[in-house]
């Protein structure tokens, strides 16, 4: 994005009535201190582009109190956070009461600050013992994932009513099992299909399990969904058959088939039958992570010529968030939670504008958007890119761990406070 508007220019729309404006994060990307997960292992094998170590990250595991205070100061009342499975179950079948007590303390603290939690159970990382069993490709994966989920809900279920079972199954599948650039580094289309089946089984069963456990606890307000990564696949030329075919196939294979399989538990091409899954409705909200559009002229990502891009070269395309919303809402009809939306802007020169443009597009649409979680609260460990790709509303100096609210963070904070009728 070329020009930077002043913060006072950035309020040219009305927020949707009742929309919850929050922030998102994921355990491995912020916590630091854990060396028992698949991404730490991947780092030791030299795969992180800038060499940064995920066991440093934002040291949030030790600094969660400071981070909760900062969130509260910014007026944030909604927070999507994740759990580190390898901390909670460091060895197969052995649960750490200490880790569970830690997460309990964190959630209780957030609630005492008026911050409601949307809890993600699985966000790209797994414990090394699980990875060694074959990870989500193993026949045992659903049983192991469900045992972990049951432990989490039995321990934290009284504190949280909204859950994301799995984050972006398609991004995980493609990077880890097709391109082989994420752990465990497998390159096989067959593995992607097996992974999709496993995700469907794990999610649909976890959906039922979470509802069941919380029902037994006496709660009737449980909401469970998936954070679906949705992008817009646009043919580079609408009159070129090859571009149209590639865009259609990528749309189907990357997102439409897995979303249908996990939402409805129905046999879906090319995923096929998923053992033990019965057709049903396996979502209470439509979770969407939206970042960009791909301009397609073959089987790879492309960017529209001359389009504005972020610091990772991803097109900035605000209308896409509405198109992504309709793609799922028109089929699944449930309240929409934008579970992630954000951008890599290392100098914070266009993030406020990005937020404004995406929220404006959403709020001027007819979509029933109940919540919007900006990715991310603080800068964090951005997987392969390490610490050098900054997505945060809050700047983190990784050496000193000092947090500084960015201009975009101030803008977002003002929006939230205005929407809540708090003093900005
Ligand atoms: C993921 C996040 C990631 C973000 C930015 C999403 O795909 O869920 O973990 O940091 O995009 O790349």
């Amino acid at each position: 994005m070329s020009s930077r508007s002043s913060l006072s220019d950035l309020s040219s729309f009305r927020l949707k009535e009742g929309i919850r404006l929050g922030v998102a994060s994921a355990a491995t990307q912020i916590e630091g201190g854990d060396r028992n997960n698949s991404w730490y292992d991947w780092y030791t094998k030299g795969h992180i582009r800038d060499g940064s170590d995920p066991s440093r990250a934002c040291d949030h595991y030790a600094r969660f109190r400071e981070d909760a205070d900062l969130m509260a100061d910014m007026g944030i009342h909604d927070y999507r956070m994740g759990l580190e499975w390898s901390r909670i179950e460091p060895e197969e079948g052995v649960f750490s009461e200490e880790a569970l007590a830690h997460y309990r303390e964190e959630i209780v603290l957030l609630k005492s600050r008026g911050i409601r939690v949307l809890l993600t159970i699985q966000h790209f990382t797994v414990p090394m013992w699980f990875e060694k069993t074959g990870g989500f490709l193993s026949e045992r994966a659903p049983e192991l994932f469900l045992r972990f989920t049951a432990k989490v809900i039995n321990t934290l279920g009284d504190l949280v009513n909204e859950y994301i079972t799995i984050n972006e199954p398609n991004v995980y599948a493609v990077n880890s099992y097709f391109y082989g650039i994420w752990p465990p580094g497998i390159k096989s289309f067959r593995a992607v299909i097996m992974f999709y089946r496993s995700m469907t089984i794990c999610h649909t069963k976890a959906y039922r399990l979470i509802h069941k456990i919380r029902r037994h606890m006496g709660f009737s307000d449980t909401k469970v969904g998936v954070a679906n990564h949705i992008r817009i696949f646009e043919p580079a030329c609408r009159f070129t058959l090859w571009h149209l075919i590639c865009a259609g196939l990528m749309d189907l294979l990357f997102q439409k088939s897995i979303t249908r399989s996990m939402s409805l538990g129905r046999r879906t091409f090319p995923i096929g039958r998923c053992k033990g899954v019965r057709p049903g409705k396996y979502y209470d909200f439509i979770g969407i992570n939206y970042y960009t559009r791909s301009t397609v002229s073959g089987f790879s990502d492309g960017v529209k010529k001359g389009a504005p891009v972020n610091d990772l070269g991803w097109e900035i395309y605000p209308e896409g968030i509405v198109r992504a919303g309709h793609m799922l809402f028109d089929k699944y009809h449930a309240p929409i939670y934008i579970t992630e939306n954000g951008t890599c802007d290392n100098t914070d020169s266009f993030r406020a504008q990005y937020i404004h443009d995406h929220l404006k597009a959403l709020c001027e649409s007819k979509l029933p958007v109940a919540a919007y979680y900006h990715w991310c609260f603080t800068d964090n460990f951005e997987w392969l890119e390490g610490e050098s790709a900054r997505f945060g509303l809050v700047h983190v100096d990784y050496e000193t761990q000092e947090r500084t609210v960015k201009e975009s963070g101030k803008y977002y904070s003002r929006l939230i406070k205005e929407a809540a009728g708090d003093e900005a």
Side-chain angles (χ1 to χ4, degrees), residues 25-26 29 80 123-124 167-168 170-172 175 182 227 229 231 289-291 310 312 314 339-344 375-376 380-383 385 389 391:
S25 71
Q29 293 183 266
R80 175 187 166 205
H123 195 129
F124 297 156
N167 180 70
E168 298 190 345
N170 54 350
V171 171
Y172 192 166
N175 287 337
W182 283 15
H229 179 104
R231 63 174 66 192
N289 291 0
Y290 172 78
Y291 286 88
N310 74 6
L312 290 175
W314 304 355
T339 37
E340 283 181 33
N341 173 238
T343 195
C344 177
W375 182 273
C376 193
N380 57 70
F381 176 80
E382 174 55 27
W383 310 117
E385 308 296 332
F391 279 77

Side-chain angles (χ1 to χ4, degrees), residues 182-397:
W182 283 15
I186 291 171
K187 296 182 188 173
S188 144
F189 184 67
R190 195 170 157 265
V192 171
I193 299 298
M194 284 168 63
F195 183 84
Y196 277 170
R197 281 188 197 143
S198 179
M199 290 285 103
T200 302
I201 301 169
C202 287
H203 164 70
T204 53
K205 292 190 186 281
Y207 176 91
R208 291 254 158 95
L209 181 69
I210 297 169
H211 274 280
K212 186 172 157 200
I213 298 177
R214 289 199 83 249
R215 207 166 36 243
H216 283 159
M217 288 175 165
F219 298 108
S220 57
D221 59 349
T222 309
K223 291 185 185 147
V224 183
V226 170
N228 300 287
H229 179 104
I230 300 293
R231 63 174 66 192
I232 305 302
F233 289 103
E234 202 88 78
C237 169
R238 277 189 290 143
F239 305 106
T240 305
L241 186 60
W242 177 241
H243 296 184
L244 288 165
I245 291 173
C246 292
L249 273 177
M250 284 168 81
D251 193 27
L252 176 80
L253 298 175
F254 181 68
Q255 50 201 18
K256 288 204 168 130
S257 56
I258 184 61
T259 305
R260 180 178 189 273
S261 180
M262 290 174 81
S263 303
L264 304 177
R266 289 186 182 275
R267 185 191 283 256
T268 302
F269 175 80
I271 299 169
R273 200 178 79 81
C274 301
K275 212 169 149 193
V277 175
R278 273 179 301 177
K281 175 174 176 269
Y282 296 98
Y283 57 95
D284 303 305
F285 56 84
I286 298 169
I288 297 178
N289 291 0
Y290 172 78
Y291 286 88
T292 190
R293 157 167 82 172
S294 295
T295 297
V296 179
S297 54
F299 285 109
S300 60
D301 276 344
V303 177
K304 193 175 152 73
K305 262 205 192 101
V309 293
N310 74 6
D311 291 353
L312 290 175
W314 304 355
E315 182 182 350
I316 297 171
Y317 178 56
E319 295 85 347
I321 199 165
V322 176
R323 292 177 65 185
H326 276 294
M327 190 189 297
L328 299 195
F329 178 74
D330 296 352
K331 194 165 167 53
Y332 300 108
H333 308 286
I336 294 180
Y337 289 13
I338 300 297
T339 37
E340 283 181 33
N341 173 238
T343 195
C344 177
D345 172 11
N346 291 328
T347 51
D348 199 44
S349 54
F350 55 84
R351 182 174 290 99
Q353 185 79 53
Y354 180 101
I355 296 172
H356 168 272
D357 295 351
H358 285 73
L359 273 176
K360 181 173 194 298
L362 268 182
C363 291
E364 289 178 352
S365 78
K366 294 203 165 65
L367 292 167
V369 186
Y372 169 97
Y373 293 86
H374 190 75
W375 182 273
C376 193
F377 178 50
T378 59
D379 292 332
N380 57 70
F381 176 80
E382 174 55 27
W383 310 117
L384 277 192
E385 308 296 332
E387 292 168 357
S388 37
R390 293 181 180 270
F391 279 77
L393 294 165
V394 174
H395 180 271
V396 174
D397 177 329

